[in-house]
């Protein structure tokens, strides 16, 4: 069942797509798209993830707000935060990232009210959406079911040690990146993986012979990660 919804609880302008793989979902996955895309970018992948019928899952694909993006000449497009520099370790819009992290937290709170405890909520994201997912999960005060961070990086890695908690370190993280990514260098993602591991996080790492995209093998590996975090269901 797929539903397009407008004006949900987290904010008057936020819209999203929602797909349930069966009645009475046992888990929730909140998936953030990349810059300039929307929730439709990843919603078609749900059937390819082959969720087990006995473990129904609710997928929520929110659409980011429309905002001016500096690196694109202030053109307005859907984005979770502004990007001012293609050096992602310098051009970080902390206020915008925190705003989107608050939106993601509101979406997680909504899933809790609908019956999914924190440890049954996954947050996922691609590129800019993955940065918000990693930033939020790495600082969340409770253990989540898991994090899926695709073709992305960890914003504000230098403040992580002071902002992390023992609970969030127990959240399993799946990081995947294209070896030939021309937008977000794989070297940056590798450094971020090491940073997370040194801080005590468990990171499952995958590299693929692709650019800034998602491959069929990657989808299979995401499905395996989801099933493993759900106890093989």
């Amino acid at each position: 069942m797929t539903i397009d919804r407008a004006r949900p609880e987290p904010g008057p302008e936020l819209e999203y797509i929602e797909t349930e793989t069966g009645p009475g979902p046992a888990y929730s996955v909140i998936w953030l798209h990349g810059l300039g895309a929307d929730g439709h970018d990843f919603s078609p992948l749900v059937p390819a993830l082959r969720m087990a019928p006995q473990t129904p899952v609710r997928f929520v694909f929110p659409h980011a707000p429309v905002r001016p993006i500096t690196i694109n000449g202030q053109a307005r497009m859907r984005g979770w935060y502004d990007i001012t520099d293609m050096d992602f370790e310098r051009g970080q819009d902390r206020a915008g990232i925190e705003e989107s992290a608050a939106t993601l937290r509101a979406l997680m709170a909504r899933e809790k009210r609908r019956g999914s405890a924190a440890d049954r909520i996954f947050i996922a994201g691609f590129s800019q959406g993955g940065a918000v997912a990693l930033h939020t999960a790495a600082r969340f005060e409770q253990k989540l079911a898991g994090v899926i961070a695709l073709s992305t990086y960890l914003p504000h890695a230098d403040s992580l040690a002071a902002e992390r908690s023992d609970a969030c370190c127990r959240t399993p993280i799946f990081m995947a990146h294209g070896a030939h990514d021309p937008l977000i260098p794989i070297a940056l993602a590798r450094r971020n993986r090491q940073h997370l591991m040194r801080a005590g996080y468990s990171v499952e790492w995958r590299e693929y012979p692709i650019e800034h995209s998602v491959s069929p093998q990657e989808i299979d590996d995401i499905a395996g990660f989801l099933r493993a975090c759900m106890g093989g269901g």
Side-chain angles (χ1 to χ4, degrees):
M1 178 177 62
T2 300
I3 303 171
D4 284 276
R5 297 185 188 272
R7 300 180 182 273
E9 295 176 35
E13 299 179 359
L14 187 70
E15 300 177 348
Y16 62 92
I17 300 162
E18 187 173 283
T19 298
E20 296 180 356
T21 63
Y27 289 86
S28 298
V29 180
I30 304 169
W31 200 311
L32 308 184
H33 61 77
L35 179 65
D38 62 22
H40 294 281
D41 204 31
F42 282 93
S43 60
L45 290 185
V46 172
L49 295 173
R50 304 185 308 280
M51 294 292 93
Q54 67 270 26
T55 311
V57 180
R58 177 186 297 117
F59 288 86
V60 181
F61 300 94
H63 308 315
V66 175
R67 66 179 77 224
I69 302 296
T70 299
I71 60 166
N72 289 338
Q74 297 294 323
R76 295 180 61 81
M77 62 187 66
R78 291 197 182 275
W80 298 108
Y81 53 89
D82 189 20
I83 298 177
T84 61
D85 194 311
M86 287 303 291
D87 180 343
F88 293 102
E89 292 176 297
R90 290 194 307 168
Q92 299 189 25
D93 171 18
R94 182 78 189 229
I97 291 170
E98 293 296 351
E99 175 189 342
S100 288
T103 296
L104 181 52
R105 282 173 168 266
L107 285 165
M108 287 191 282
R110 180 172 174 270
E111 291 308 300
K112 288 183 184 179
R113 292 194 296 273
R114 299 167 85 185
S116 292
D119 62 1
R120 287 179 170 260
I121 298 174
F122 293 87
I123 56 176
F126 175 80
S127 193
Q128 196 187 55
V132 173
L134 264 184
H135 175 83
T136 306
R139 294 160 171 83
F140 197 64
E141 60 275 4
Q142 295 176 276
K143 177 189 179 297
L144 299 172
V147 181
I148 299 167
L150 311 176
S151 301
T152 192
Y153 63 99
L154 175 66
H156 307 292
D158 55 348
S159 66
L160 180 61
E163 297 169 354
R164 62 182 278 280
S165 71
D166 290 340
C168 67
C169 282
R170 298 197 300 272
T171 297
I173 299 172
F174 178 90
M175 286 186 75
H177 215 94
H180 312 299
D181 192 328
L183 297 179
I184 300 176
I186 192 170
L188 172 59
R190 288 170 177 159
R191 288 197 301 274
N192 289 163
R193 172 193 59 166
Q194 293 300 327
H195 194 107
L196 285 162
M197 293 177 70
R198 284 195 299 270
Y201 296 84
S202 174
V203 182
E204 181 177 338
W205 173 261
R206 293 285 186 274
E207 297 181 15
Y208 306 93
I210 57 175
E211 296 189 354
H212 196 66
S213 59
V214 177
S215 74
Q217 181 59 57
E218 188 172 1
I219 294 168
D220 286 345
D221 291 341
I222 292 167
F225 174 77
L226 287 168
R227 287 193 293 269
C229 291
M230 294 176 187

